[in-house]
Amino acid sequence: MNNITKLIKDEFDKITKNWFPQNAPTLEIEFPKDDDIETASVYDEKRNKIILRVMSHNINDNFDNADWSSTQLELYHELLHAYQATLDDSCVDNSKVKELRIIRKSFVGPGHCDRFYQAIIDKAAYFGLKPDEFVKRV
């Protein structure tokens, strides 16, 4: 667990320094005993905290920039929610969001409003991707 914890924390620190000049979210890493779907990772907006739950079958994940692991995808997805919380509706480019919603109609769970899609648009270039590529991965 130490290796995956270090990988997560290093990636989290790198991204938050770039995305959040102030008020960066905090991170809590959990290792649930069972892989129940109810233990999905979450972003808690009230506490500005990401709770990243690493399932037992992902403990040996590596972080690779070309082929993202499940743990990386979870982390990036929750970081997008944290970034989304910094946006207001006036930041949304409705025409671009509409294009992304055609590509990826929905995400599971709450919090995937237009500002979430705008976060994808804003942060795709960080990963060297276009928004229409990034939305398919996260």
Side-chain angles (χ1 to χ4, degrees):
M1 281 191 248
N2 286 339
N3 186 45
I4 190 71
T5 300
K6 181 176 178 357
L7 288 171
I8 292 167
K9 286 181 177 180
D10 288 350
E11 188 76 356
F12 176 82
D13 289 344
K14 183 176 78 173
I15 293 172
T16 55
K17 285 178 185 160
N18 183 280
W19 291 14
F20 303 95
Q22 55 191 357
N23 299 323
T26 58
L27 175 68
E28 179 180 321
I29 303 170
E30 296 180 353
F31 297 90
K33 295 208 186 293
D34 62 17
D35 289 351
D36 183 11
I37 191 69
E38 296 302 318
T39 59
S41 298
V42 297
Y43 170 65
D44 181 339
E45 188 173 351
K46 287 183 183 176
R47 298 186 304 167
N48 193 25
K49 179 183 235 176
I50 292 171
I51 302 168
L52 193 72
R53 297 185 173 115
V54 180
M55 302 302 154
S56 60
H57 58 274
N58 294 329
I59 287 178
N60 295 317
D61 278 356
N62 287 310
F63 277 34
D64 180 345
N65 290 331
D67 187 24
W68 296 342
S69 69
S70 297
T71 304
Q72 275 178 288
L73 289 170
E74 287 278 325
L75 177 62
Y76 300 158
H77 188 97
E78 298 311 324
L79 280 162
L80 286 169
H81 280 299
Y83 180 76
Q84 162 193 350
T86 69
L87 302 175
D88 62 45
D89 290 335
S90 67
C91 297
V92 173
D93 182 331
N94 290 318
S95 63
K96 287 184 180 178
V97 165
K98 185 177 178 180
E99 288 174 25
L100 291 187
R101 283 190 177 277
I102 291 169
I103 295 168
R104 176 111 185 228
K105 293 183 179 18
S106 65
F107 289 89
V108 176
H112 300 103
C113 63
D114 287 350
R115 289 182 297 119
F116 181 76
Y117 284 87
Q118 186 62 48
I120 291 170
I121 292 165
D122 291 353
K123 296 306 177 185
Y126 177 85
F127 298 100
L129 298 170
K130 296 176 182 171
D132 62 324
E133 298 166 326
F134 191 36
V135 74
K136 294 174 189 174
R137 294 185 80 175
V138 296

